[in-house]
Amino acid sequence: MSSTTEPVTAPVWWEKVGGYGAARSGLLHTPHGTVPTPAFMPVGTRASVRAVGPGELRAVGTDIVLANAFHLMLRPGDEVIAGLGGLHRFMGWDGPILTDSGGFQVFSLSPKVDERGARFRSPYDGGWLHLTPEMAIGVQERLGSDIAMVLDVCLALPASPPDVIRAMERTLRWSERARGAHRRADQALFGIVQGGTDPVLRGASARATVDLEVPGFGIGGLSVGETPEERRLALEVTVAELPVDKVRYVMGLGDPLGVLEAVALGADLFDCVWPTRLARHGKILTPDGDYHLKAARFATDAGPLHSECGCSTCRVHSRAYLRHLHVTGELLAHSLLTVHNLHYTLQLIAATRLAIEEHRFDEHRAEVAARRLSSPASAE
């Protein structure tokens, strides 16, 4: 870790490979490997993508994972993880890791916020905790992720204009403090653009965040209650202000059609608990729409979860068996269904990259939408 008094530039950078309109493919270079973009990050909140291990993540096509600094700070503790060799060694994942600062999690706990930071009760023991922008950086530096995020102020939408303005301006001040506190030379620090659904605020936030001279940008404050059209406009305005040679990360977005729309606007990186959480509830993602496995008609179905899927779950197991595991509460169901949902999501992203590079992204996007919206898999 650097001992200098000035912030350093981390060896994380993005280069463009292909483009089709505003959509682009590229390579995100990090100390733990290169990530082809557009890319989806499975969420490993507590240093674990629920129900699947590192080997399974690699097998389904994962290039980068997300972990949450807030939860790891509380359990087992960032200093514990640092003492055990850092987050990569701790979780047995040798690829790139992005850590979220915990802004979203903190603000879901109704914190007491002032200029210094956020004061909130621990979701584990109820004790009072305080998190500042500088503390969030220190935690992520001790974890040793490849990419760290500034601490931002999150709001549920809709929100009043004064609240949105206050949150945006405070996020910018906190970001400047985070940039000044960041010292780890082998870790990139990304800024976060806020501004709700107001195009003017989004543009202003994006321009000010660009002035931080960071190697990448998170686009936060979306997928929190806005309409699809509001999200589209917010993304369009934001991306227009961001440098063309740096990565753009839409935080918390994971539904296929929403991701494809964001890619069409020029976004590169995504994360969401969507595929893994749905799997634990027995909902199956497929090119022909999604369905609930618990439906009685699958009790004697000898076919795979989807006839075109090549994941390890579909190659070996029938719907009947997987339904049996799910309805009886067997833990194996969580693992097998999560493998399928992640495989679908990551294969869709890989196909999207290829479509961009082959200059057929519009056709690809239209085909994905047509199949998902007009041919529900539950009708098979």
Side-chain angles (χ1 to χ4, degrees):
M1 190 176 298
S2 172
S3 60
T4 64
T5 58
E6 293 297 323
V8 294
T9 301
V12 170
W13 56 285
W14 180 88
E15 63 173 320
K16 185 176 181 179
V17 172
Y20 185 87
R24 70 228 197 120
S25 65
L27 296 171
L28 177 62
H29 302 282
T30 83
H32 285 87
T34 295
V35 179
T37 64
F40 178 82
M41 297 182 289
V43 175
T45 299
R46 297 175 178 85
S48 169
V49 178
R50 287 193 178 182
V52 294
E56 293 166 310
L57 288 173
R58 284 294 190 192
V60 297
T62 304
D63 293 306
I64 179 172
V65 299
L66 179 147
N68 187 267
F70 167 75
H71 285 288
L72 295 175
M73 171 187 75
L74 299 179
R75 288 187 180 179
D78 48 290
E79 293 186 356
V80 170
I81 292 174
L84 292 170
L87 186 54
H88 291 86
R89 181 175 297 177
F90 183 66
M91 65 186 291
W93 172 257
D94 61 1
I97 300 175
L98 180 149
T99 46
D100 185 356
S101 66
F104 178 81
Q105 287 74 22
V106 167
F107 290 95
S108 69
L109 298 172
S110 301
K112 300 179 183 298
V113 181
D114 56 27
E115 196 61 27
R116 181 166 176 260
R119 187 168 180 263
F120 56 95
R121 288 192 179 274
S122 167
Y124 296 107
D125 61 17
W128 281 102
L129 300 169
H130 198 268
L131 185 64
T132 68
E134 294 83 0
M135 291 170 61
I137 293 301
V139 168
Q140 292 178 89
E141 288 187 331
R142 285 185 286 276
L143 293 176
S145 56
D146 298 89
I147 300 171
M149 305 300 297
V150 300
L151 182 65
D152 58 333
V153 183
C154 299
L155 292 177
L157 297 177
S160 70
D163 286 343
V164 174
I165 292 171
R166 278 192 293 270
M168 183 203 77
E169 292 178 344
R170 180 163 280 159
T171 292
L172 290 171
R173 292 191 295 271
W174 284 6
S175 298
E176 291 175 356
R177 289 163 54 187
R179 183 72 177 93
H182 189 247
R183 294 288 178 268
R184 186 155 184 159
D186 60 348
Q187 180 187 68
L189 178 65
F190 282 14
I192 298 179
V193 178
Q194 288 286 350
T197 58
D198 186 311
V200 174
L201 294 180
R202 278 282 167 181
S205 177
R207 290 188 294 273
T209 305
V210 169
D211 289 342
L212 294 173
E213 298 184 349
V214 290
F217 302 91
I219 303 174
L222 297 175
S223 298
V224 289
E226 77 281 359
T227 67
E229 177 58 25
E230 288 173 330
R231 182 175 65 197
R232 186 200 64 77
L233 181 58
L235 284 173
E236 187 174 35
V237 171
T238 300
V239 168
E241 299 289 349
L242 298 178
V244 297
D245 61 344
K246 293 185 178 182
V247 71
R248 304 151 175 173
Y249 160 34
V250 183
M251 306 176 72
L253 182 61
D255 71 275
L257 300 186
V259 165
L260 289 181
E261 180 175 62
V263 168
L265 295 171
D268 309 299
L269 198 60
F270 307 90
D271 82 281
C272 193
V273 298
W274 189 72
T276 52
R277 178 176 290 168
L278 291 182
R280 295 194 300 276
H281 292 281
K283 191 166 186 178
I284 310 304
L285 310 182
T286 84
D288 296 310
D290 311 328
Y291 65 91
H292 286 282
L293 187 61
K294 63 184 178 182
R297 64 181 176 279
F298 297 131
T300 58
D301 191 329
L305 294 174
H306 192 268
S307 59
E308 298 174 12
C309 184
C311 76
S312 58
T313 298
C314 287
R315 291 199 305 268
V316 175
H317 300 295
S318 67
R319 279 173 168 165
Y321 177 66
L322 295 167
R323 179 187 181 277
H324 158 71
L325 295 180
H326 175 66
V327 300
T328 56
E330 289 291 334
L331 295 180
L332 181 57
H334 294 172
S335 177
L336 295 177
L337 299 185
T338 298
V339 163
H340 169 83
N341 279 359
L342 284 176
H343 180 271
Y344 164 75
T345 302
L346 292 163
Q347 289 300 304
L348 173 63
I349 294 294
T352 299
R353 287 196 301 267
L354 183 61
I356 293 170
E357 291 165 12
E358 294 181 348
H359 297 273
R360 52 180 181 83
F361 174 72
D362 286 344
E363 293 87 344
H364 167 72
R365 182 183 176 192
E367 179 183 350
V368 170
R371 289 190 65 175
R372 287 191 60 82
L373 297 176
S374 64
S375 302
S378 57
E380 292 184 353

